[in-house]
Amino acid sequence: MKTKTKSEETRERILSAAIELFRRRGFESATMREIAGGAGVATGAAYYYFDSKDAIVLAFYEHAACELEPLLEDALAGAKSLEARIRALLEVKLKYFEPNRALLGALSGHTDPAHPLSPFSAQTREIRERDMKFFERALEDSRVRISPDLQGVLPRILWMYQMGLILFWIYDRSASQKRTHALVDQSVGIVVGLIKLSGFPLLRPVRRRVVTLLETVSGEA
Amino acid sequence: MKTKTKSEETRERILSAAIELFRRRGFESATMREIAGGAGVATGAAYYYFDSKDAIVLAFYEHAACELEPLLEDALAGAKSLEARIRALLEVKLKYFEPNRALLGALSGHTDPAHPLSPFSAQTREIRERDMKFFERALEDSRVRISPDLQGVLPRILWMYQMGLILFWIYDRSASQKRTHALVDQSVGIVVGLIKLSGFPLLRPVRRRVVTLLETVSGEA
């Protein structure tokens, strides 16, 4: 096991203190000075590691992505059908982010892809792409045959579907977010049903149009 | 023609001054005092008509809905096929909101349905439902047969599709938002294609699931 350097330890302590403070006090009103105080370092030292609260949030996203990876691996290993695999990926994420649901809520206003903290930003691209890989794998190892023209775009579609669910979950005021869990439950079946139907020759023109459209939207045409 | 009372005139003057100020200076930094100044009334008078900037924005939404109504009527009257009808409704709205695209951007962070200015809030319900009616009519008078089980939910689905497009448009940095117009162009074809396919008997189970899911999401089950 790799030993952490002193510098890595300090960085992590600041990150934990910040998340703890965001959780207790909300993201907007927390200051770098308070974060430094919580971590037991000087404000200047906190700024040495993170030049802003936004930088801390990005580090939180990255940290979460790393911690999630083995959990998502387990989820895929434990589920066979495509429906079970997608459902498992989604449930792992909702469970993982549960303690920080309010923080994600404070960040969900960043719908502008030009904002660094947006899930669609250049800064979060790497995290986003690593996350899409899990949907790619959920599709690959399942027994559902995906028509070749859709293979490139389906992971992205599933990822966007996930983001929609997370947004719903953030604002779900039902007890233990049971409406979201019902929504996941019902929608995964529909999504997988549509994926299965999408292979029909009849749907070839629609498939082609969806692929073109996604190229337009993602600006990667 | 109905003559406006003095009070109505003052209210409209404050509303115009506010929109003008939001456009020039941004929504966040504008104050009620400045809005009153722009309208040539005392700050207290401005508060008499609108108890907050949020109340002004709600009035702006309502005003826009009223002004849009005849334009949307014309759009429906001038288009025959379902595809042309939906496209016409969407293009009318994008054109109408063009001068206030930045203001809508400032408001788009309100994704929380509990926030009065959210397009999903209780306060905007009436506007939302009137808007859905236009999609209902676009469907009714077209020649596309809608299976009875979908008739109740399709206007809502089309309305949500519209909201997605508007969000994309708000952050579209391409010249004259040409990416959004390409997206409207391509996606309307897909949406109408799917509506036509949705009538197939094969899709009956999916249809039923979609209806149940929408009841879950809208909390109106």
Side-chain angles (χ1 to χ4, degrees):
Chain A
M1 218 174 122
K2 201 184 134 216
T3 317
K4 281 176 196 156
T5 62
K6 182 126 198 325
S7 167
E8 280 168 344
E9 262 176 30
T10 310
R11 188 175 183 278
E12 278 182 21
R13 209 164 67 239
I14 297 168
L15 180 57
S16 308
I19 300 303
E20 166 59 26
L21 189 68
F22 295 158
R23 209 181 286 171
R24 216 174 56 232
R25 276 268 313 277
F27 174 68
E28 288 309 332
S29 66
T31 66
M32 281 296 268
R33 174 184 293 270
E34 288 170 301
I35 292 166
V41 302
T43 309
Y47 274 111
Y48 170 80
Y49 289 95
F50 300 103
D51 63 12
S52 63
K53 283 198 293 178
D54 282 5
I56 294 178
V57 173
L58 272 178
F60 164 67
Y61 287 170
E62 274 152 25
H63 181 73
C66 284
E67 283 199 332
L68 272 167
E69 239 159 66
L71 304 176
L72 295 171
E73 290 291 348
D74 286 354
L76 286 183
K80 260 211 160 107
S81 72
L82 180 55
E83 191 166 332
R85 289 162 77 78
I86 296 175
R87 193 185 310 258
L89 292 181
L90 297 172
E91 292 292 358
V92 161
K93 277 179 206 155
L94 294 185
K95 192 171 165 209
Y96 177 85
F97 284 113
E98 176 58 45
N100 292 306
R101 204 169 66 100
L103 173 58
L104 292 191
L107 299 170
S108 70
H110 298 305
T111 36
D112 185 350
H115 193 289
L117 300 184
S118 158
F120 308 99
S121 73
Q123 289 82 348
T124 53
R125 175 191 294 268
E126 202 198 307
I127 295 172
R128 180 166 67 245
E129 288 180 352
R130 261 160 61 195
D131 200 22
M132 285 183 198
K133 282 269 175 236
F134 281 97
F135 289 108
E136 200 177 313
R137 286 184 40 208
L139 289 160
E140 270 169 14
D141 310 335
S142 80
R143 300 224 178 107
V144 177
R145 204 194 136 269
I146 311 297
S147 73
D149 46 0
L150 280 188
Q151 275 165 14
V153 298
L154 258 188
R156 181 178 298 267
I157 293 176
L158 288 174
W159 182 84
M160 291 191 286
Y161 156 64
Q162 161 188 272
M163 297 316 282
L165 288 172
I166 290 178
L167 192 62
F168 187 87
W169 171 77
I170 284 171
Y171 297 120
D172 182 355
R173 274 127 180 136
S174 63
S176 311
Q177 289 72 56
K178 69 178 162 56
R179 283 177 68 209
T180 304
H181 294 285
L183 177 60
V184 169
D185 212 52
Q186 292 169 26
S187 61
V188 171
I190 296 173
V191 166
V192 170
L194 291 174
I195 290 175
K196 287 177 180 168
L197 285 168
S198 71
F200 279 67
L202 180 70
L203 286 171
R204 183 135 188 261
V206 177
R207 285 204 303 274
R208 206 182 298 155
R209 283 169 134 178
V210 168
V211 172
T212 310
L213 176 135
L214 280 167
E215 286 164 352
T216 304
V217 173
S218 65
E220 289 161 8
Chain B
M1 216 174 122
K2 201 184 133 217
T3 317
K4 280 175 196 156
T5 63
K6 182 122 198 330
S7 166
E8 280 168 344
E9 262 175 30
T10 309
R11 189 175 183 279
E12 279 182 21
R13 209 163 67 238
I14 297 168
L15 181 55
S16 307
I19 300 303
E20 166 60 25
L21 189 68
F22 295 159
R23 208 182 285 172
R24 217 174 55 232
R25 276 269 314 277
F27 175 69
E28 289 307 334
S29 66
T31 65
M32 281 297 267
R33 174 184 292 271
E34 288 170 301
I35 292 166
V41 302
T43 308
Y47 274 111
Y48 170 79
Y49 289 96
F50 300 103
D51 63 12
S52 62
K53 285 197 293 176
D54 281 5
I56 295 179
V57 172
L58 272 178
F60 163 67
Y61 287 170
E62 275 152 25
H63 180 74
C66 284
E67 284 199 333
L68 271 167
E69 240 160 65
L71 304 175
L72 296 171
E73 290 291 350
D74 286 354
L76 285 183
K80 261 210 159 109
S81 72
L82 180 56
E83 193 168 329
R85 289 162 78 79
I86 296 176
R87 193 185 308 260
L89 293 180
L90 297 173
E91 292 292 356
V92 160
K93 276 179 206 156
L94 294 185
K95 193 172 164 208
Y96 178 85
F97 284 114
E98 175 57 45
N100 292 307
R101 203 170 67 100
L103 173 58
L104 293 191
L107 300 170
S108 70
H110 298 306
T111 35
D112 186 348
H115 192 290
L117 300 184
S118 157
F120 308 99
S121 72
Q123 289 82 348
T124 54
R125 175 190 294 265
E126 202 200 307
I127 295 173
R128 182 166 67 246
E129 287 180 352
R130 262 160 60 195
D131 200 23
M132 285 182 198
K133 282 268 176 235
F134 281 96
F135 289 108
E136 199 176 313
R137 287 186 38 209
L139 290 160
E140 268 169 16
D141 309 335
S142 80
R143 300 222 179 106
V144 177
R145 205 194 135 270
I146 311 297
S147 73
D149 46 2
L150 281 188
Q151 274 164 14
V153 297
L154 258 189
R156 181 177 297 266
I157 293 176
L158 288 174
W159 182 84
M160 291 192 286
Y161 156 64
Q162 161 188 273
M163 297 316 282
L165 288 173
I166 291 178
L167 193 62
F168 187 86
W169 171 78
I170 283 172
Y171 296 121
D172 182 354
R173 274 127 179 136
S174 62
S176 310
Q177 288 72 56
K178 69 178 163 56
R179 284 177 68 208
T180 305
H181 294 285
L183 177 60
V184 168
D185 211 53
Q186 292 169 26
S187 61
V188 171
I190 296 173
V191 166
V192 171
L194 291 174
I195 291 175
K196 286 176 181 169
L197 285 167
S198 71
F200 280 66
L202 180 70
L203 286 171
R204 184 137 187 260
V206 178
R207 286 204 302 274
R208 203 182 301 155
R209 283 168 133 177
V210 169
V211 172
T212 310
L213 176 134
L214 280 165
E215 285 163 353
T216 303
V217 173
S218 65
E220 289 161 9

